[in-house]
Coordinates of all heavy atoms in Angstrom, one line a residue:
A904 N -2.9 8.6 -9.5 CA -3.6 7.3 -9.9 C -5.1 7.6 -9.8 O -5.5 8.4 -9.0 CB -3.2 6.2 -8.9
V905 N -5.8 6.9 -10.6 CA -7.3 6.9 -10.5 C -7.6 5.6 -9.8 O -7.2 4.5 -10.2 CB -7.9 6.9 -11.9 CG1 -9.5 6.8 -11.7 CG2 -7.6 8.2 -12.7
A906 N -8.3 5.8 -8.7 CA -8.6 4.7 -7.8 C -10.1 4.6 -7.5 O -10.8 5.6 -7.4 CB -7.8 4.8 -6.5
I907 N -10.6 3.4 -7.3 CA -12.0 3.2 -6.9 C -11.9 3.4 -5.4 O -11.0 3.1 -4.7 CB -12.6 1.9 -7.2 CG1 -11.9 0.7 -6.6 CG2 -12.7 1.7 -8.7 CD1 -12.7 -0.6 -6.7
D908 N -13.0 4.0 -4.8 CA -13.1 4.3 -3.4 C -14.0 3.3 -2.7 O -15.1 3.1 -3.0 CB -13.7 5.7 -3.3 CG -13.9 6.1 -1.8 OD1 -13.2 5.6 -1.0 OD2 -14.8 6.9 -1.5
S909 N -13.4 2.5 -1.8 CA -14.1 1.5 -1.0 C -14.4 1.9 0.4 O -15.0 1.1 1.2 CB -13.4 0.2 -1.0 OG -12.2 0.3 -0.3
V910 N -14.1 3.2 0.8 CA -14.2 3.6 2.2 C -14.9 4.9 2.4 O -15.0 5.4 3.5 CB -12.9 3.6 2.9 CG1 -12.3 2.2 3.0 CG2 -11.9 4.6 2.2
G911 N -15.4 5.6 1.3 CA -16.1 6.8 1.4 C -15.1 8.0 1.6 O -15.5 9.0 2.3
A912 N -14.0 8.0 0.9 CA -13.0 9.1 1.0 C -13.6 10.3 0.2 O -14.4 10.2 -0.7 CB -11.7 8.7 0.5
G913 N -13.0 11.5 0.6 CA -13.4 12.7 -0.1 C -12.2 13.5 -0.4 O -11.1 13.2 0.0
E914 N -12.5 14.5 -1.2 CA -11.4 15.4 -1.7 C -10.6 16.0 -0.5 O -11.2 16.5 0.5 CB -12.0 16.5 -2.6 CG -11.0 17.3 -3.4 CD -11.6 18.2 -4.5 OE1 -12.7 17.9 -4.9 OE2 -10.9 19.1 -4.9
G915 N -9.3 16.0 -0.6 CA -8.4 16.6 0.4 C -8.0 15.6 1.5 O -7.1 15.9 2.3
E916 N -8.6 14.4 1.5 CA -8.2 13.4 2.5 C -7.0 12.7 2.1 O -6.8 12.4 0.9 CB -9.4 12.5 2.8 CG -10.5 13.2 3.5 CD -11.6 12.2 4.0 OE1 -12.3 11.6 3.2 OE2 -11.7 12.0 5.2
V917 N -6.2 12.3 3.1 CA -5.0 11.5 2.9 C -5.5 10.0 3.1 O -6.1 9.7 4.1 CB -3.9 11.8 3.9 CG1 -2.7 10.9 3.7 CG2 -3.4 13.3 3.6
V918 N -5.1 9.2 2.2 CA -5.7 7.8 2.1 C -4.6 6.7 1.9 O -3.5 7.1 1.5 CB -6.7 7.7 1.0 CG1 -7.9 8.6 1.3 CG2 -6.1 8.0 -0.4
L919 N -5.0 5.5 2.2 CA -4.2 4.3 1.8 C -4.7 3.8 0.5 O -5.9 3.6 0.3 CB -4.3 3.2 2.9 CG -3.7 3.5 4.2 CD1 -4.1 2.4 5.2 CD2 -2.2 3.6 4.1
V920 N -3.7 3.5 -0.4 CA -4.1 3.0 -1.7 C -3.4 1.7 -2.0 O -2.2 1.6 -1.8 CB -3.6 4.0 -2.8 CG1 -4.1 3.5 -4.2 CG2 -4.2 5.4 -2.6
A921 N -4.2 0.7 -2.3 CA -3.7 -0.6 -2.7 C -3.7 -0.7 -4.2 O -4.6 -0.1 -4.9 CB -4.6 -1.7 -2.1
F922 N -2.7 -1.4 -4.7 CA -2.5 -1.6 -6.2 C -2.6 -3.0 -6.6 O -2.3 -3.9 -5.8 CB -1.2 -0.9 -6.6 CG -1.2 0.6 -6.5 CD1 -0.7 1.2 -5.4 CD2 -1.7 1.4 -7.6 CE1 -0.7 2.6 -5.3 CE2 -1.7 2.7 -7.4 CZ -1.2 3.3 -6.3
G923 N -2.9 -3.2 -7.9 CA -2.9 -4.6 -8.5 C -3.9 -5.5 -7.9 O -5.0 -5.1 -7.6
S924 N -3.5 -6.8 -7.8 CA -4.5 -7.8 -7.3 C -5.0 -7.4 -5.9 O -6.1 -7.7 -5.5 CB -3.9 -9.2 -7.4 OG -2.8 -9.3 -6.5

Side-chain angles (χ1 to χ4, degrees):
V905 175
I907 65 167
D908 178 25
S909 68
V910 294
E914 194 168 337
E916 291 191 290
V917 176
V918 295
L919 290 172
V920 183
F922 290 92
S924 61

